[in-house]
Amino acid sequence: MTGWEDPFEARLRWVAVDPATWRETGAVSGVVLGGTVDLDASDPVKASASVDVEGPLDLSGGLLRLYLDAHGADGGARTACIGTFGAEVPRLTVSSTGSVGSASLYGTLRLAQDSAPGASVHVPAGADPVAAAADALRRAGLQTVAERGPQRLAEARTYGLSAEGGACDDLLSIASDLCAAAGFREPAPDPWGRALLRRELDDGARAPDWSLAEGPDCRFLDSMSLERDPAGPNCVKVVCSSGSGYTVATARDDDPASETSTVRRGREVWEVVRPSEDLDHEGALALARRTLRERLAPLRAVTLRHVYFPLALGDVFDLSWPSAGLSGRFRAASVSYDLGAPGLLMTVKGEEVA
């Protein structure tokens, strides 16, 4: 269930946002009905959009925010925020009757991606990496919402001086690296443009955020595409600090009945995992075994279309479609909104959770 099962008429509304105060400053006109909003977990900025405009779209350095006003047949109404974006109008056609153009919109994390620290950034050992990541994002003018935890850096990190191990020259890359060190997800924007810093969860063990099931309240379309991941590693090695030194643990798939095992494939395919936290040998072995199970799982990706509901990147949903023989638990990897379609139709790609 999504809470959006009842039919509704979708009306879109754009407002301007002052990035200095994050307050809405008034309605924005000139955006033509249609276009797309795309959320993509593999994109560092996570969000983008494309719309057509009539007349000049002069935001004077401000931001755009998109709202959905949903009006039901019973007279009820509700409002949902879809996203907050910066805007560029790279192409404009001008005539005696006016002007038309296409606007490219980008998610608010672009503000941090476009910002570099004036000097090197040093985060000392023992510091909270998530707090340091939030500070980096705030220096770019972003608002942040960060989960708290006991995470601390085992070793100091300095950014902006060396490209060894991958350059982190902009504030978004710095924040992402610090989040990874803490076992957190990459920063992601919420619909109001705030940067969310959230810990990585065991999506297979936690309760799903949504349940999409065939039946009278079903709002997904009667057609989906299904993909399967290629074979991954069949051996995993974990190398980590034990507090007093280093420990190494391995896990292997040598089962002749397994399609991806060392026996069936005729070779070893290794993945090395280096967790940032200290683990004893038992903990390292458990991590190696869990990682191997995840890599060996015959994971699928499903792409479906659904009437709007507030699905966020990283949300987990259970899918049950018995008449098509399809069911499973999936994590939202991308969401695309068709701004001209009835019900603000979404195309969702979900990656199966091990």
Side-chain angles (χ1 to χ4, degrees):
M1 301 290 286
T2 66
W4 288 75
E5 288 76 22
D6 294 334
F8 62 87
E9 177 188 359
R11 303 176 188 174
L12 300 181
R13 175 166 49 91
W14 295 89
V15 299
V17 178
D18 181 352
T21 63
W22 291 89
R23 293 179 179 174
E24 296 176 1
T25 58
V28 172
S29 59
V31 180
V32 178
L33 178 64
T36 59
V37 168
D38 297 303
L39 309 179
D40 186 350
S42 66
D43 179 358
V45 175
K46 308 303 182 195
S48 62
S50 177
V51 295
D52 289 335
V53 296
E54 293 178 341
L57 188 64
D58 181 14
L59 296 176
S60 300
L63 302 172
L64 283 175
R65 181 169 291 157
L66 175 61
Y67 284 104
L68 163 66
D69 295 323
H71 298 265
D74 60 357
R78 65 171 79 181
T79 296
C81 184
I82 304 301
T84 303
F85 308 91
E88 299 170 334
V89 186
R91 185 174 66 256
L92 196 65
T93 301
V94 180
S95 69
S96 59
T97 59
S99 59
V100 295
S102 297
S104 298
L105 311 185
Y106 51 86
T108 52
L109 292 186
R110 170 86 170 270
L111 301 178
Q113 190 181 58
D114 288 346
S115 299
S120 62
V121 175
H122 180 74
V123 185
D128 180 352
V130 177
D135 181 65
L137 295 172
R138 285 193 293 267
R139 289 171 65 177
L142 291 167
Q143 294 182 323
T144 62
V145 180
E147 293 182 354
R148 297 181 178 274
Q151 61 278 338
R152 293 292 183 270
L153 283 179
E155 299 178 350
R157 297 193 177 211
T158 301
Y159 301 97
L161 294 180
S162 172
E164 294 182 5
C168 293
D169 293 327
D170 62 82
L171 293 176
L172 179 57
S173 296
I174 292 171
S176 297
D177 187 70
L178 289 166
C179 284
F184 273 50
R185 300 176 182 178
E186 288 184 340
D190 70 1
W192 290 270
R194 300 173 298 188
L196 304 180
L197 307 182
R198 293 178 172 173
R199 61 178 46 85
E200 197 70 64
L201 301 175
D202 185 347
D203 290 330
R206 71 183 182 95
D209 300 290
W210 309 96
S211 179
L212 310 182
E214 184 176 16
D217 292 327
C218 169
R219 292 296 178 266
F220 56 75
L221 272 60
D222 187 23
S223 176
M224 301 184 190
S225 65
L226 192 64
E227 307 168 43
R228 288 188 178 272
D229 285 347
N234 50 27
C235 300
V236 172
K237 178 169 71 173
V238 171
V239 181
C240 61
S241 170
S242 62
S244 58
Y246 285 89
T247 185
V248 176
T250 62
R252 304 168 52 92
D253 178 19
D254 297 318
D255 183 0
S258 170
E259 293 183 0
T260 59
S261 70
T262 58
V263 177
R264 294 283 291 275
R265 295 172 73 174
R267 64 190 181 98
E268 298 175 351
V269 181
W270 284 89
E271 177 178 341
V272 179
V273 179
R274 298 181 183 273
S276 59
E277 70 271 22
D278 292 348
L279 295 173
D280 58 18
H281 183 75
E282 182 178 345
L285 183 60
L287 176 60
R289 290 171 173 170
R290 183 172 69 249
T291 302
L292 182 62
R293 285 197 305 271
E294 293 173 351
R295 301 300 185 263
L296 294 177
L299 298 183
R300 303 168 295 172
V302 63
T303 301
L304 60 91
R305 290 180 294 170
H306 197 290
V307 169
Y308 171 82
F309 69 99
L311 177 72
L313 287 180
D315 279 0
V316 171
F317 60 91
D318 280 347
L319 176 63
S320 176
W321 192 12
S323 64
L326 179 58
S327 64
R329 177 164 295 182
F330 299 86
R331 180 192 306 107
S334 67
V335 182
S336 180
Y337 301 96
D338 185 342
L339 303 184
L344 195 61
L345 191 67
M346 309 188 305
T347 299
V348 178
K349 181 176 182 179
E351 296 177 345
E352 192 168 23
V353 174

